């Protein structure tokens, strides 16, 4: 309540200032809750116009990081710049909030207003809002616009939330686990909306614990676990995915002793695995070996670590990924 | 607190009106608030009118007729409901639901949010009081003459009980506890303040006179029924309570459903 009496810089401080080099710049961010270190030295940058995903398990520090950037929480240490302003400084609050949109993790909307009224109310808070009808159409709520919010389904409420996040025509949109609880169709719909916003120039910082969401949406991904970023890159290169060895697997042929396998082949749980940097050559050698023996390589697969493999290895969950990791040493 | 450096944009007054309109909309759409907060006091004065409409002036009501006494006290109760109870319950529920956090995430300044709420509560109070006075008049209660004193008492009372409502919302942690806590404080207070039955115990009156409800009753009773003007002493007590409420509210109010 104190905030309304403190000085606010002129309207244009943030808006008219020279566009900062990056949309979000975080360096050495730290935050503890009592004994628990939720965020332990997180650094990353988000470029203008990209979708950046913070990918991590529950409790990794994603939401805490986001809430510090959104100005909801105070940080213990580190530098934070959002559109060139410090979100921890209340004096920037209003000017900064006019340029950012938020979709928080929990759904929270006034139950007795209609969809349209809710969006129109928030539109009135911004100097240059988007058109209410346009936003209603974008989130596909035109059919429900005269319904009271309390009568909406969970997915519809979430889309209303998304509409409230974009109604102010933000240049930066924060999405905290935007599609949790959506059915597959609804998720694809939400992804389409987010991609369209990005294509229209909005910078988007989202958190998610869904690999496919990061893969589908993000231009860049940072994997966060235990309050630290353990890898950062594009979805196709993160964690060395592009340079990782190809994995060739096939069933151990009947009557073939382990000792008879070609060098480099490691048997385990019914399948033989070969890791290689030169898949073409190795595959040729393997098929040659099989043809000369007159055996068939059943259940033959050639693959590279998926984003999920990388994620599980990085966040230290799940045995298969770590087994694979060990076998490559 | 550098008020001088705070620049009000031209846009801000429009913003305030925008906010008041939507507070009104949320209020009237919610059948519970519309009924218990707004209709209930009007129903009560109507019942009292039917029951006590013919009770002539007597010493039990300090020389007033029963309805002359009840019009100002029920008017005071309607202000308590529209300001204190409404804000304490609505704000703690909005905080728990995360709605307040959302508001904090928009550019709407905190002052606009609170001034909007306050104005909304005052508007509901004033409408309620006007209806109660109207029902009283229908049962033959003469209209008051000192409208300025009534207006001052009403606005000061509404503001003070709004501040106390925000203070209670700031101290309640769990929104489910809000309605019982609000009633637990209000019910005995209203009772010992002579709202429903005149209290003739000097001791009790001295105690309740230092608490917020009786001074508000008295500040309204004077100009409403006794043709007296400003009751400075009781207005002063009311103001002190309002200031105390505002102090707690400013110090302790939280937007976030979970403490840091």
């Amino acid at each position: 309540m104190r905030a309304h009496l403190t000085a606010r810089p002129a309207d244009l401080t943030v808006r008219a200032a020279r566009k900062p080099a990056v949309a979000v710049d975080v360096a050495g961010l730290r935050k503890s809750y009592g004994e628990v270190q939720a965020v332990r030295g997180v650094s990353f940058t988000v470029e203008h116009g990209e979708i950046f995903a913070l990918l991590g398990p529950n409790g990794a520090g994603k939401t805490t990081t986001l809430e510090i950037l959104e100005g909801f929480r105070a940080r213990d240490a580190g530098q934070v710049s959002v559109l060139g302003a410090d979100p921890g400084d209340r004096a920037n609050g209003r000017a900064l909030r006019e340029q950012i949109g938020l979709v928080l993790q929990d759904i929270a909307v006034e139950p007795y207003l209609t969809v349209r009224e809710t969006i129109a109310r928030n539109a009135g808070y911004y100097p240059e809002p988007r058109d209410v009808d346009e936003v209603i159409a974008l989130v596909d709520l035109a059919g429900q616009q005269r319904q009271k919010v309390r009568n909406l389904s969970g997915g519809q409420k979430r889309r209303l939330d998304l509409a409230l996040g974009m109604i102010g025509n933000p240049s930066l949109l924060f999405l905290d686990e935007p599609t949790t609880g959506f059915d597959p169709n609804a998720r694809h719909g939400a992804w389409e909306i987010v991609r369209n916003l990005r294509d229209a120039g909005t910078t988007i910082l989202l958190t998610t614990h869904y690999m496919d969401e990061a893969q589908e949406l993000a231009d860049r991904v940072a994997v966060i676990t235990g309050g630290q970023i353990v890898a950062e890159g594009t979805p196709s290169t993160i964690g060395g995915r592009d340079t990782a060895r190809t994995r060739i697997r096939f069933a151990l042929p009947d009557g073939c002793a382990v000792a008879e396998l070609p060098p480099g082949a490691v048997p385990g749980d019914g399948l033989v695995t070969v890791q290689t940097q030169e898949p073409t050559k190795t595959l040729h050698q393997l098929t040659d070996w099989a043809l000369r023996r007159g055996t068939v390589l059943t259940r033959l697969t050639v693959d590279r670590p998926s984003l999920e493999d990388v994620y599980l290895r990085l966040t230290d969950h799940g045995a298969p990924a770590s087994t694979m990791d060990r076998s490559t040493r | 607190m550098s008020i001088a450096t705070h620049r009000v944009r031209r846009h801000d007054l429009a913003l305030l009106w925008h906010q008041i309109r939507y507070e009104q909309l949320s209020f009237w759409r919610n059948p519970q608030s519309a009924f218990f907060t707004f209709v209930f006091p009007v129903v009560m004065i109507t019942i009292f009118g039917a029951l006590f409409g013919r009770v002539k002036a007597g010493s039990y009501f300090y020389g007033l007729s029963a309805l002359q006494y009840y019009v100002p006290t029920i008017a005071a109760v309607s202000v308590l409901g529209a300001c204190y109870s409404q804000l304490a319950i609505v704000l703690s529920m909005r905080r728990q639901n995360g709605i307040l956090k959302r508001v904090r995430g928009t550019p709407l300044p905190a002052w606009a949010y609170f001034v909007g709420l306050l104005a909304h509560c005052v508007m509901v109070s004033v409408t309620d009081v006007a209806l109660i006075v109207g029902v009283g008049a229908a049962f033959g209660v003469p209209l008051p003459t000192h409208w300025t004193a009534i207006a001052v008492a009403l606005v000061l009372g509404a503001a003070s009980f709004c501040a106390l409502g925000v203070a209670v919302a700031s101290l309640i942690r769990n929104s489910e506890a809000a309605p019982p806590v609000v009633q637990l404080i209000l019910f005995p207070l209203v009772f010992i303040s002579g709202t429903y039955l005149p209290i003739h115990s000097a001791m009790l009156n001295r105690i309740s006179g230092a608490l917020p409800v009786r001074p508000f009753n008295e500040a309204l009773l004077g100009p409403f029924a006794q043709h007296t003007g400003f009751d400075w002493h009781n207005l002063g007590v009311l103001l002190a309570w309002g200031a105390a409420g505002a102090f707690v509210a400013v110090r302790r109010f939280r937007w976030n459903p979970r403490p840091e």
Side-chain angles (χ1 to χ4, degrees):
Chain A
M1 283 188 71
R2 185 186 300 263
H4 69 266
L5 292 173
T6 51
R8 193 181 64 239
D11 305 356
L12 303 175
T13 322
V14 178
R15 196 170 282 274
R18 212 149 34 84
K19 199 174 179 180
V22 289
V24 175
D25 194 358
V26 178
L29 181 64
R30 289 182 175 277
K31 175 74 183 175
S32 299
Y33 302 111
E35 295 292 294
V36 184
Q37 296 187 357
V39 177
R40 302 187 291 163
V42 161
S43 303
F44 64 90
T45 58
V46 181
E47 306 285 338
H48 289 288
E50 73 173 348
I51 299 179
F52 186 93
L54 276 176
L55 176 64
N58 292 326
K62 303 189 296 289
T63 296
T64 296
T65 303
L66 213 58
E67 292 205 333
I68 290 168
L69 297 181
E70 291 164 342
F72 286 126
R73 293 192 184 278
R75 57 186 186 266
D76 295 340
Q79 297 300 313
V80 175
S81 163
V82 175
L83 300 175
D86 180 349
D89 184 354
R90 272 260 161 249
N92 296 329
R94 188 171 180 183
L96 182 57
R97 277 160 208 284
E98 285 174 350
Q99 297 177 77
I100 62 176
L102 312 179
V103 176
L104 307 182
Q105 213 172 92
D106 309 311
I107 298 170
V109 265
E110 289 272 352
Y112 291 103
L113 297 180
T114 67
V115 167
R116 199 192 162 74
E117 287 161 355
T118 306
I119 297 173
R121 183 192 56 188
N122 277 38
Y125 298 162
Y126 296 87
E128 290 158 34
R130 293 180 72 141
D131 181 64
V132 173
D133 289 306
E134 182 198 10
V135 168
I136 288 174
L138 266 175
V139 298
D140 197 19
L141 284 174
Q144 288 78 32
Q145 60 170 318
R146 312 237 168 255
Q147 271 186 37
K148 285 193 188 137
V149 169
R150 64 202 294 256
N151 298 328
L152 297 181
S153 72
Q156 287 168 340
K157 279 185 189 159
R158 197 69 181 142
R159 275 185 280 149
L160 173 58
D161 247 0
L162 197 54
L164 295 178
M166 67 170 96
I167 188 65
N169 202 11
S171 49
L172 172 64
L173 181 61
F174 293 104
L175 302 172
D176 199 355
E177 299 189 358
T179 66
T180 298
F182 275 27
D183 64 44
N185 281 334
R187 296 183 74 204
H188 282 275
W191 292 344
E192 197 55 39
I193 296 169
V194 173
R195 270 194 291 258
N196 288 340
L197 283 172
R198 188 259 326 263
D199 294 344
T202 310
T203 307
I204 291 155
L205 172 52
L206 68 92
T207 68
T208 183
H209 52 239
Y210 294 125
M211 256 69 60
D212 52 346
E213 187 154 287
Q215 174 97 56
E216 282 283 329
L217 276 183
D219 298 307
R220 283 192 306 132
V221 181
V223 175
I224 181 169
T225 183
Q228 288 176 311
I229 289 182
V230 290
E232 196 185 323
T234 67
S236 54
T237 61
I238 191 162
R241 272 185 77 193
D242 52 338
T243 54
R245 294 200 241 181
T246 300
R247 183 174 62 178
I248 302 168
R249 311 180 85 188
F250 55 91
L252 186 64
D254 288 336
C256 175
V258 171
E260 298 173 53
L261 285 172
V266 184
D269 60 332
L271 287 176
V272 179
T273 303
V274 184
Q275 306 262 2
T276 175
Q277 296 281 18
E278 297 171 296
T280 316
K281 186 174 162 198
T282 309
L283 202 55
H284 184 83
Q285 288 167 345
L286 268 176
T287 48
D288 183 52
W289 170 82
L291 287 173
R292 276 193 280 111
R293 279 179 54 95
T295 56
V296 184
L297 294 179
T298 53
R299 298 170 64 191
L300 174 69
T301 57
V302 181
D303 66 13
R304 309 247 304 223
S306 67
L307 183 58
E308 185 158 0
D309 292 327
V310 171
Y311 171 80
L312 290 172
R313 172 166 57 80
L314 290 170
T315 57
D316 205 23
H317 284 283
S322 45
T323 312
M324 186 189 88
D325 198 30
R326 228 175 292 126
S327 66
T328 60
R329 275 181 205 145
Chain B
M1 296 217 176
S2 45
I3 295 168
T5 52
H6 173 76
R7 286 196 265 156
V8 176
R9 305 182 201 186
R10 203 176 311 156
H11 168 68
D12 281 347
L13 285 178
L15 180 65
L16 194 56
W17 177 240
H18 178 83
Q19 186 58 18
I20 294 170
R21 271 182 45 220
Y22 280 98
E23 286 294 353
Q24 290 276 342
L25 203 53
S26 304
F27 177 80
W28 295 111
R29 283 280 175 72
N30 180 344
Q32 276 177 332
S33 66
F35 182 77
F36 285 105
T37 308
F38 187 78
V39 181
F40 187 65
V42 179
V43 169
M44 204 148 57
I45 193 68
T46 311
I47 293 172
F48 278 21
L51 289 177
F52 309 125
R54 289 169 189 201
V55 177
K56 298 287 172 228
S59 64
Y60 183 61
F61 289 109
Y62 309 104
L64 303 172
S65 77
L67 269 198
Q68 270 182 312
Y69 181 83
Y70 282 127
V71 164
T73 62
I74 299 299
V77 155
S78 77
V79 174
L80 295 183
C83 297
Y84 163 78
S85 307
Q86 183 183 189
L87 281 187
I89 293 170
V90 161
L91 283 176
S92 45
M93 284 191 9
R94 286 185 185 170
R95 177 177 56 224
Q96 182 128 337
N97 294 341
I99 290 174
L100 285 185
K101 187 175 173 183
R102 294 307 165 96
V103 171
R104 205 77 188 106
T106 72
L108 182 71
W111 70 261
Y113 188 72
F114 278 96
V115 174
L117 258 179
L118 191 98
H120 155 74
C121 291
V122 171
M123 282 160 83
V124 172
S125 303
V126 168
T127 317
D128 232 353
V129 171
L131 281 175
I132 289 163
V133 172
V135 171
F139 283 103
V141 176
L143 287 177
T145 47
H146 208 317
W147 286 105
T148 351
I150 290 177
V152 168
L154 269 184
V155 170
L156 181 66
S160 297
F161 284 107
C162 279
L164 288 168
V166 181
V168 169
S170 308
L171 298 176
I172 293 176
R173 280 166 187 269
N174 183 343
S175 75
E176 276 150 37
V181 167
V182 164
Q183 285 310 318
L184 203 68
I185 298 173
L186 197 59
F187 190 70
L189 201 52
V190 162
F191 218 78
I192 63 163
S193 300
T195 299
Y196 297 117
L197 294 169
I199 306 287
H200 292 281
S201 149
M203 229 287 260
L204 207 51
N205 283 343
R206 206 170 307 131
I207 295 171
S208 61
L211 296 170
V213 176
R214 186 178 162 87
F216 189 38
N217 285 348
E218 295 291 312
L220 286 175
L221 261 168
F224 255 107
Q226 289 152 337
H227 303 291
T228 53
F230 297 100
D231 184 342
W232 295 116
H233 169 72
N234 282 312
L235 290 176
V237 176
L238 209 49
L239 182 67
W241 276 102
F247 179 77
V248 172
V250 170
R251 294 287 296 251
R252 297 288 300 270
F253 190 79
R254 284 188 295 112
W255 300 82
N256 207 316
R258 284 166 287 273
E260 282 226 2

